[in-house]
Amino acid sequence: MAGPVDLSELHAALDHLRPQICHCGLKGECLGCKGIEMVRLQAEAVVSAASQPILIQVAQETAMKDMTSRFQAMSERLMADPEIRRSAEEMQQRLMSDPETRQLLEELMRRLGGTPPTEDLN
């Protein structure tokens, strides 16, 4: 890694996205606000882990796998609730309808080595 990673574009995209999905007046209490902060923290953790020497990366990779499995379990529990699932589907539709936000999310997913978002909620 050549130098420090600039996450300002990611933070700006998340800051732009938050008001679009917030239901609590930006108090940090709704699923939209909490989700944005979770994504922000995960991105920072990935960058931090990738910036470390290899031995530290191994330990952090294990922690990331644990965090991912916990996040997946939490997502599954949340999506089992029909009201939360409907809200998540509405949020995804709003996200994907904004071309700038969609482009930023696709770019982020490519950089993180993931699959760009689709129109369907899994």
Side-chain angles (χ1 to χ4, degrees), residues 81-100:
D81 182 321
E83 186 175 329
I84 291 176
R85 182 168 180 83
R86 182 184 48 74
S87 293
E89 289 169 350
E90 289 174 5
M91 179 179 71
Q92 183 182 26
Q93 288 174 354
R94 287 176 31 194
L95 284 174
M96 293 301 123
S97 68
D98 179 21
E100 182 181 352

Side-chain angles (χ1 to χ4, degrees), residues 12-37 40 94:
L14 292 172
D15 291 343
H16 174 72
L17 176 62
R18 186 174 174 182
Q20 297 177 50
I21 60 174
C22 175
H23 297 286
C24 67
L26 301 175
K27 294 177 186 172
E29 299 169 353
C30 68
L31 183 62
C33 288
K34 289 178 182 180
I36 291 295
E37 289 310 308
R40 185 184 313 270
R94 287 176 31 194

